[in-house]
Amino acid sequence: ELLRWAEASPQPPPLVLSPQRFDVIAEVKLRSPAVGQLKSGDEDVARRVGAYAGAGAAAVSVLTEPERFEGSLDHLEQASRALASRRVPTMRKDFLVEPYQVAEARLAGAGGILIIVRMLDRAALLALISSAKRLGLFVLVECFDEGDIGIAIDLAASPEAQGARLLVGLNSRDLVTLKVVPGRLEQLASR
């Protein structure tokens, strides 16, 4: 039923990438497990994402994970409403593990989702990609190392992903140790 509601919800703004091949996905994050509190819980999300859009952000990532990041679907809804008239999509950033969460993202107005290669097996990753494709959402596929990038390339070549809007992102923070690995982008950009 949630999937039907999501399909019937207003189409979010599409992700439009720059011809110069340099785009920024800005982020709304109130707390970080590695750093601690970043912003207070009474943050004016709409004002913040409006400033991001005004500065040229191609999309705005919104943390929705409540325990470690103090995020919520409400933040995603606020950001999506604030950016709709500017035609800038939001992206749900969370530990997504099932298609139900993708439908929740679309209902909250998101134009995209983040999936983390290290968290899930191939079948689960493809289920999320397939759900996002069905709902017209772009997918940022987060990788950390060369093995993850290989998995992302394999996912993109799969029949389930054909026609999906996939981006590959590289996280320079090791999700196990929470340490930033300097030079990670330079090492792996060619992949």
Side-chain angles (χ1 to χ4, degrees), residues 38-85:
L38 302 172
K39 292 284 185 180
S40 70
D42 61 353
E43 172 79 4
D44 185 342
V45 172
R47 194 171 94 186
R48 185 167 170 191
V49 300
Y52 288 158
V60 177
S61 168
V62 180
L63 267 292
T64 60
E65 195 284 326
E67 299 298 317
R68 297 181 190 129
F69 295 93
E70 296 182 14
S72 72
L73 282 171
D74 186 51
H75 295 151
L76 182 59
E77 290 173 9
Q78 290 173 41
S80 298
R81 276 194 309 273
L83 294 175
S85 65

Side-chain angles (χ1 to χ4, degrees), residues 101-125:
Q101 294 170 293
V102 179
E104 285 180 327
R106 170 68 188 267
L107 278 170
I113 60 165
L114 172 85
I115 61 172
I116 303 171
V117 169
R118 290 204 157 188
M119 282 185 50
L120 303 167
D121 63 24
R122 186 176 193 278
L125 291 165

Side-chain angles (χ1 to χ4, degrees), residues 1-12:
E1 190 171 350
L2 187 70
L3 182 59
R4 284 195 303 276
W5 290 344
E7 287 177 317
S9 68
Q11 187 70 28

